[in-house]
Amino acid sequence: MATAKKAILSESESIKKIVDYLDHQFVEAVEIIFNSKGRLVITGIGKSAIIAQKIVATLNSTGTPSLFLHASEAIHGDLGMIQKEDVIICISKSGNSPEIKVLVPFLKNYGQALIAITGNITSYLAKSSDLVLNTTIEAEACPNNLAPTNSTTAQLVMGDALAVCLMELRDFKASDFAKYHPGGALGKKLLLRVSDMLEHALKPVVTLDAPIKKVIFEISEKRLGVTAVADQNKIVGIITDGDIRRMLNNRDSIFGVKAQDIMTKNPKMISSSTMVIDAFNIMEDFSITQLVVVDNGEYKGVLHLHDILKEGII
């Protein structure tokens, strides 16, 4: 436990110190990337290559088209992916590894700018780059000061800082984020509307004077645990299976009982264009499990909490 705490504190201190390294070169790097008409190509070797891939993933998902270029593969043909309008970031802790020294002169012949993310601002990489983002650390969290720990965390944080600044410059909103994340719970939460979930074949509805037998049959047949109540095609109430159970508990006889006798008047309604997550919040606020869906007075169906839960949004 003590070792784990020491490692985490060591990494957090390293990250904290990076703030002091931010200068005009960071600002220029953000501006060059933002104004570029090309892509952002990020390269590295070893653990830095893994960090580069994560940074690329973050940038792509937040509106900055990016590519990962493995340093060792670059000199065996992959340099061809770089176009003249691209900006290149090279990540290396030492900035002096053999692969980087071989690669950097070639990178200088491609793209419009070379930006270094390095922990050695006097290194070959730093001196050869147009801009340098300093990720110097005092030591690794590794007890032998060998395994990349603090250094890779510092690289990752610098990449996140770039991504967040670029998001702000692009005025990148949640709706934009959703375009790049259509799959999974996140995409559904940001994109799914009530209209996408309605089963239009299942629109339970009865009239005000419908006998209780008709009401029970409608709830059972449509399998939503609820039916709307309409008066001349206008929804005026709702009856749930819970209402049916309470009626049976409170009455000795159900003879002559009609829909209007047990319905809940003026039920909560939403339009089919409502975001599903907003519909869920309404259900939660009012402690209900169904919402009647109406568009311009036209009854569209019922949205049930269970349907939302099945989609994995919550």
Side-chain angles (χ1 to χ4, degrees), residues 197-255:
M197 296 187 61
L198 287 180
E199 291 189 49
H200 296 291
L202 301 177
K203 291 168 56 176
V205 62
V206 294
T207 58
L208 280 170
D209 59 353
I212 194 63
K213 182 177 180 181
K214 168 65 176 173
V215 173
I216 295 173
F217 181 80
E218 187 71 1
I219 293 175
S220 176
E221 182 184 44
K222 300 299 170 60
R223 306 189 306 279
L224 291 174
V226 63
T227 183
V229 181
D231 180 18
Q232 297 181 350
N233 295 321
K234 179 183 178 182
I235 302 301
V236 294
I238 191 173
I239 301 173
T240 67
D241 49 10
D243 293 326
I244 299 295
R245 288 192 297 271
R246 283 186 288 274
M247 177 201 65
L248 294 174
N249 285 331
N250 296 332
R251 293 173 181 260
D252 294 328
S253 172
I254 61 173
F255 180 77

Side-chain angles (χ1 to χ4, degrees), residues 114-243:
L114 175 60
I115 302 168
I117 295 181
T118 182
N120 183 356
I121 59 174
T122 62
S123 64
Y124 177 80
L125 172 61
K127 291 179 179 179
S128 302
S129 299
D130 299 303
L131 296 168
V132 179
L133 306 185
N134 188 358
T135 54
T136 299
I137 60 165
E138 292 182 2
E140 300 286 6
C142 164
N144 299 314
N145 193 26
L146 294 173
T149 45
N150 290 4
S151 59
T152 47
T153 301
Q155 293 167 355
L156 186 62
V157 169
M158 187 63 76
D160 286 342
L162 286 171
V164 171
C165 289
L166 289 164
M167 286 177 69
E168 189 168 298
L169 282 175
R170 298 185 197 284
D171 193 25
F172 197 85
K173 303 186 184 309
S175 57
D176 300 308
F177 193 80
K179 295 175 184 176
Y180 301 108
H181 297 78
L186 177 60
K188 290 177 180 178
K189 185 174 181 178
L190 294 171
L191 291 173
L192 202 63
R193 296 186 182 275
V194 171
S195 57
D196 300 318
M197 296 187 61
L198 287 180
E199 291 189 49
H200 296 291
L202 301 177
K203 291 168 56 176
V205 62
V206 294
T207 58
L208 280 170
D209 59 353
I212 194 63
K213 182 177 180 181
K214 168 65 176 173
V215 173
I216 295 173
F217 181 80
E218 187 71 1
I219 293 175
S220 176
E221 182 184 44
K222 300 299 170 60
R223 306 189 306 279
L224 291 174
V226 63
T227 183
V229 181
D231 180 18
Q232 297 181 350
N233 295 321
K234 179 183 178 182
I235 302 301
V236 294
I238 191 173
I239 301 173
T240 67
D241 49 10
D243 293 326

